[in-house]
Amino acid sequence: MQNEHETAARKPDRPTAHAAERVQQLAAFVQETGRYPSRSSGNVSERTLAEWLQRRRREAAVGTLAPALREGLGVLPEWRGVPRAVADEARWQDQLAALAAYRASGQDWPRHKATVTGEEHELGVWLHTQRFMLRRGDLASAKVEPLDAAVPGWRTGRTRGRKPKH
């Protein structure tokens, strides 16, 4: 009886026609919009496609996704990852590179105060956030190490008062 139960519960190796159609819809959506569907979209078909993809991600994570579906979804970039997490990581890396370039150009540490604008303000706010997260213990070592390597001295930054005269 155990074997019968396992056989009945097992997912088919081949995706259904509906699942194959969903893969095509998803690929078309990503190609047209440049993003994955959102579960908070106002469009019902986008929401249902996003929910379908979320279920496939869960199945892939636990190893129950049909091989043919895994292969079909494999043509999409980073389909397994959480799109927001992937985008956040890319943005973090971009900010780190921008800060390193800013410092390499001879600039002092960027300020984050409201009176500062433009690139300095944006980098200053980002750097201030990294320092705050470090003090709270929320900054992962995977972030601390690249910061230490790319911009040594980032933890202390500017010294208070006037700049020393050379």
Side-chain angles (χ1 to χ4, degrees):
M1 189 152 160
Q2 178 72 21
N3 288 339
E4 290 174 23
H5 177 71
E6 288 174 4
T7 302
R10 189 177 308 139
K11 294 208 179 279
D13 288 341
R14 295 176 159 270
T16 63
H18 178 69
E21 183 181 325
R22 281 293 199 187
V23 171
Q24 290 175 346
Q25 289 173 352
L26 180 62
F29 183 90
V30 171
Q31 187 175 17
E32 289 171 17
T33 63
R35 63 180 178 82
Y36 285 94
S38 170
R39 290 182 304 140
S40 61
S41 171
N43 183 316
V44 174
S45 62
E46 180 179 349
R47 277 196 318 264
T48 57
L49 189 58
E51 290 165 4
W52 179 87
L53 177 59
Q54 183 180 23
R55 286 190 300 274
R56 301 303 79 83
R57 285 177 173 150
R58 273 192 236 121
E59 290 172 359
V62 297
T64 59
L65 184 64
L69 269 179
R70 185 174 34 256
E71 193 175 301
L73 289 168
V75 301
L76 296 171
E78 301 179 13
W79 73 272
R80 286 180 180 225
V82 178
R84 181 174 290 160
V86 171
D88 288 349
E89 179 61 25
R91 229 179 352 268
W92 192 92
Q93 293 295 334
D94 290 346
Q95 289 290 81
L96 176 61
L99 178 62
Y102 184 85
R103 290 288 293 151
S105 71
Q107 301 287 334
D108 199 355
W109 293 102
R111 296 170 294 170
H112 68 280
K113 300 294 182 185
T115 57
V116 180
T117 60
E119 181 188 30
E120 181 181 11
H121 178 72
E122 183 181 326
L123 291 174
V125 168
W126 182 81
L127 183 57
H128 179 73
T129 302
Q130 304 314 303
R131 290 175 181 149
F132 177 73
M133 289 174 65
L134 179 69
R135 283 192 307 270
R136 273 193 353 201
D138 292 341
L139 190 62
S141 62
K143 305 270 185 186
V144 174
E145 293 165 8
L147 272 162
D148 286 340
V151 281
W154 72 273
R155 296 172 193 228
T156 55
R158 278 178 195 269
T159 54
R160 293 194 183 266
R162 298 182 184 269
K163 291 183 184 179
K165 293 183 180 180
H166 294 284

